[in-house]
Amino acid sequence: MSDEAIWDELDWRMQDGSGERLNRGRIIERNLARLRGFVCETMRHGRLCIAGDAAHIVPPSVAKGLNLAVGDARVMAEAFRRCIQSGDTSVLEAYTAICLRRIWPTVHWSCSMSEAFPRLSWPVRL
Ligand SMILES: Cc1cc2nc3c(=O)[nH]c(=O)nc-3n(C[C@H](O)[C@H](O)[C@H](O)COP(=O)(O)OP(=O)(O)OC[C@H]3O[C@@H](n4cnc5c(N)ncnc54)[C@H](O)[C@@H]3O)c2cc1C
């Protein structure tokens, strides 16, 4: 699309009935965001754990990546705390299973919503 075509499309999508138009400028960067879901099926090797985007990628369209990363960090912190304080490795050993219970449904939901959004919510120019 030319710069003008992009601005025309954006203007059309942003119209709110007020007649106001967007201020146009030169478009300085163009990118295609890869929408994808990825899960690393083990998140632990011995005492090495991975968390967040290193372990799983969700499409950004439903804004769940950071939530998943923080969730992993909480489980990891508890695993380390128990390990260091009392030598209890049960949470460390269960780290992958605990995290994946939360991750897989979120990945499925994010992927489903990403497929549905363009069909359901984008206005269609007739
Ligand atoms: C456009 C976009 C919008 C998003 N919007 C949302 C949203 O609204 N809500 C939401 O929940 N999530 C959102 N996300 C996802 C979210 O940003 C990520 O899932 C989250 O930041 C992952 O956290 P992380 O700590 O795993 O990785 P990161 O935040 O990527 O942190 C990794 C860090 O490691 C550093 N690093 C990399 N290599 C090395 C190295 N060799 N040595 C030292 N440091 C290194 C990097 O510089 C970086 O600071 C969005 C993502 C994108 C791309």
Side-chain angles (χ1 to χ4, degrees):
M1 293 170 84
S2 66
D3 283 11
E4 278 308 298
I6 290 173
W7 280 114
D8 287 345
E9 186 69 25
L10 199 54
D11 240 338
W12 182 79
R13 289 180 185 217
M14 300 289 279
Q15 61 192 330
D16 61 359
S18 67
E20 286 185 33
R21 307 286 302 270
L22 297 169
N23 292 325
R24 299 189 173 206
R26 190 167 63 87
I27 293 177
I28 55 172
E29 188 178 331
R30 292 161 185 260
N31 249 321
L32 284 179
R34 249 183 98 205
L35 301 184
R36 64 196 170 107
F38 164 82
V39 178
C40 182
E41 255 287 359
T42 186
M43 294 172 59
R44 180 182 73 94
H45 181 73
R47 294 166 67 182
L48 174 73
C49 299
I50 53 174
D53 280 7
H56 40 75
I57 300 282
V58 291
S61 32
V62 290
K64 285 290 172 198
L66 186 59
N67 296 275
L68 286 180
V70 171
D72 296 345
R74 286 190 62 194
V75 179
M76 197 190 290
E78 181 60 18
F80 289 167
R81 189 186 68 76
R82 289 191 194 199
C83 216
I84 291 163
Q85 283 184 351
S86 59
D88 172 8
T89 57
S90 57
V91 178
L92 184 63
E93 281 158 25
Y95 174 72
T96 297
I98 294 170
C99 291
L100 288 180
R101 272 204 301 271
R102 180 173 31 83
I103 291 162
W104 271 120
T106 308
V107 170
H108 284 306
W109 187 71
S110 298
C111 290
S112 308
M113 291 303 281
S114 301
E115 285 170 16
F117 273 161
R119 282 186 230 132
L120 297 178
S121 60
W122 285 24
V124 177
R125 203 198 292 233
L126 299 174

